[in-house]
Amino acid sequence: MSVRSIDAVRSGLVRSMIAATVLGLSACAPAANPPPTLPPPTAAPTLPVAAAPTLAPTTVPPVIAAVPLPTIGTAVWTPAARTKTTGCVSQAGLPDPACTPGAIDPRVTLATTAATICTSGYTATVRPPVALTDRIKTEEMAAYGLQGQPPSGYELDHLISLELGGAPQDVANLWPQPWTGDTNAHQKDAVETHLKREVCNGAVSLADAQRMIATDWLAVYRAQRLTPAP
């Protein structure tokens, strides 16, 4: 073998040995550590949400229909007009309704009772003078056919009394009433006092009291079992 051939063989052997050494070293080298496995991310702790405060249910009060308060006669009663001036006839102790239907003083109303009829001494401030009432008394006694009778035996009566807001000087509200007999002025005076008390106490309306005394004061006297006034 020539020297060149021997050198070529040696070179090949060397390269083979180097390659083998490299492979051996590669085989002996520790394997590369795999990348660390991280634990799955932990979800952030969920804080408890405070429950919304429970409000007590709102109770809506039931709608109650307004109950009207009792009223004592707000209406106004109006007597009939006077249609006769002569030939008047008293009927069972009551005046002739055509001659003496009654009349009302417009100053006395439901709104003014406290300052008028329910005030002590009020009637003295509206009572007509004797000179006027004496003249009317004479005229009304003639209208009722009582000529020749002593005037002292009769009272010139306000059918709707001044205590109940009767008109002081209206002839339609004035008539001659006897002081004595089965039905007389003392009995009617008791009715006047009774009804005035009822009106001022709020038990009877002014209009009702005026109507009752004008249309049938005797019915009130008997129903209430009153006794004659002095």
Side-chain angles (χ1 to χ4, degrees):
M1 180 179 294
S2 67
V3 176
R4 181 177 296 178
S5 299
I6 293 171
D7 290 338
V9 170
R10 288 178 178 173
S11 297
L13 289 172
V14 172
R15 288 195 294 272
S16 298
M17 290 177 66
I18 292 170
T21 300
V22 171
L23 290 174
L25 290 174
S26 299
C28 294
N33 291 330
T37 302
L38 298 177
T42 303
T46 303
L47 297 177
V49 178
T54 303
L55 299 178
T58 303
T59 302
V60 178
V63 177
I64 301 175
V67 178
L69 296 175
T71 55
I72 300 297
T74 56
V76 175
W77 176 75
T78 303
R82 185 187 191 204
T83 58
K84 287 173 59 177
T85 58
T86 61
C88 307
V89 179
S90 179
Q91 304 171 11
L94 302 177
D96 189 326
C99 296
T100 316
I104 295 172
D105 186 345
R107 294 170 294 184
V108 179
T109 66
L110 184 65
T112 65
T113 53
T116 55
I117 64 173
C118 296
T119 296
S120 178
Y122 165 74
T123 59
T125 66
V126 295
R127 191 174 300 279
V130 174
L132 176 61
T133 57
D134 281 349
R135 177 177 61 79
I136 295 175
K137 185 176 183 179
T138 300
E139 294 172 353
E140 290 305 295
M141 287 186 69
Y144 273 85
L146 299 173
Q147 301 95 324
Q149 298 291 326
S152 59
Y154 294 85
E155 175 190 26
L156 183 65
D157 180 62
H158 289 94
L159 179 59
I160 301 174
S161 62
L162 300 181
E163 291 89 343
L164 294 175
Q169 301 182 23
D170 193 327
V171 179
N173 195 43
L174 291 163
W175 71 297
Q177 184 179 34
W179 282 110
T180 59
D182 292 337
T183 58
N184 58 64
H186 296 291
Q187 295 169 336
K188 185 170 180 292
D189 287 346
V191 174
E192 295 170 0
T193 301
H194 168 75
L195 288 179
K196 175 196 171 182
R197 182 170 58 248
E198 293 292 278
V199 170
C200 293
N201 288 340
V204 175
S205 73
L206 176 64
D208 281 346
Q210 292 171 337
R211 176 185 54 78
M212 287 189 286
I213 202 166
T215 56
D216 195 348
W217 65 266
L218 273 172
V220 179
Y221 181 83
R222 292 163 180 159
Q224 298 299 321
R225 299 183 179 182
L226 302 177
T227 57

